[in-house]
Amino acid sequence: ELEAIKARVQEMEEENERPMELELGAENCLMESSETDFFLKMEADQRSIYVGNVDYGSTAEELEFHFNSCGEIKRVTILCDKFSGHPKGYAYIEFEEKSSVKAAVELDGSVFRGRVIKVLPKRTNMPGLSTTDRGGYRGHFQSRGGLAQWGSYYRGQQARMRGRMYRGRQRLLPWYFPY
């Protein structure tokens, strides 16, 4: 009887380990695929350029014709506003070769449909890094002396909000807030 119980316990432990192994395998697969996707995107970004100040009536074929002398073009993307559908005024061009990017950047300042265009190599956005993140709390108020900000501590206690500017926020927190 004791041997049967031990065998059953052993079977139950093995059943518990199987989902963990499957879960770890799936996580590793997802991590590898996301890393390879990022590196593929990064490699495509190294073969791409940003074109700014593009005329709103221009087409992908016209841009392709303008940059055709730089090298073979794989893709032309003109970005549009998702609500109105109108072009935003800039485009991305992906080339087959990395060397074509240098030739295309030399066309910076050239005239396309009556406008001077801006041509730069496309930059790669790193995951987790944001250019719009300035740090701190948006919408904070600064006191007259500039020593205390909304939600910050000054000399061990929270800043006291005074004056007309803080009348609405003054009731939210007492002048002494230890935690």
Side-chain angles (χ1 to χ4, degrees), residues 41-60:
K41 183 179 178 339
M42 195 167 109
E43 197 267 328
D45 286 349
Q46 291 174 351
R47 293 183 283 120
S48 302
I49 60 168
Y50 160 84
V51 184
N53 200 22
V54 176
D55 185 45
Y56 295 114
S58 61
T59 62

Side-chain angles (χ1 to χ4, degrees), residues 51-54 107-119:
V51 184
N53 200 22
V54 176
L107 288 176
D108 183 29
S110 64
V111 178
F112 175 71
R113 290 193 75 177
R115 290 179 153 208
V116 178
I117 57 173
K118 183 75 176 168
V119 181

Side-chain angles (χ1 to χ4, degrees), residues 8-126:
R8 180 69 182 138
V9 168
Q10 183 68 24
E11 288 176 19
M12 291 172 65
E13 287 177 356
E14 288 174 5
E15 286 177 13
N16 285 339
E17 288 175 7
R18 280 189 208 132
M20 288 181 190
E21 290 172 4
L22 290 174
E23 188 175 314
L24 287 174
E27 285 178 6
N28 289 339
C29 234
L30 284 174
M31 291 290 284
E32 289 173 5
S33 67
S34 65
E35 286 176 7
T36 55
D37 289 346
F38 174 71
F39 286 118
L40 287 175
K41 183 179 178 339
M42 195 167 109
E43 197 267 328
D45 286 349
Q46 291 174 351
R47 293 183 283 120
S48 302
I49 60 168
Y50 160 84
V51 184
N53 200 22
V54 176
D55 185 45
Y56 295 114
S58 61
T59 62
E61 290 81 22
E62 292 172 337
L63 276 169
E64 187 174 349
F65 181 74
H66 186 75
F67 286 96
N68 202 16
S69 62
C70 301
E72 191 174 338
I73 294 174
K74 189 174 184 180
R75 179 188 315 164
V76 177
T77 307
I78 299 175
L79 274 80
C80 296
D81 183 25
K82 64 180 175 182
F83 298 112
S84 65
H86 299 298
K88 289 185 175 183
Y90 59 94
Y92 293 104
I93 299 175
E94 183 182 342
F95 293 99
E96 292 286 340
E97 302 287 328
K98 287 183 184 180
S99 59
S100 302
V101 173
K102 289 182 183 178
V105 170
E106 291 176 4
L107 288 176
D108 183 29
S110 64
V111 178
F112 175 71
R113 290 193 75 177
R115 290 179 153 208
V116 178
I117 57 173
K118 183 75 176 168
V119 181
L120 296 169
K122 187 174 186 281
R123 55 169 206 222
T124 303
N125 290 331
M126 301 301 253

Side-chain angles (χ1 to χ4, degrees), residues 161-177:
M161 303 298 169
R162 293 185 182 184
R164 240 175 233 203
M165 189 176 189
Y166 306 109
R167 192 168 285 164
R169 299 221 186 235
Q170 186 176 5
R171 293 182 195 97
L172 292 177
L173 294 171
W175 70 272
Y176 178 70
F177 191 69

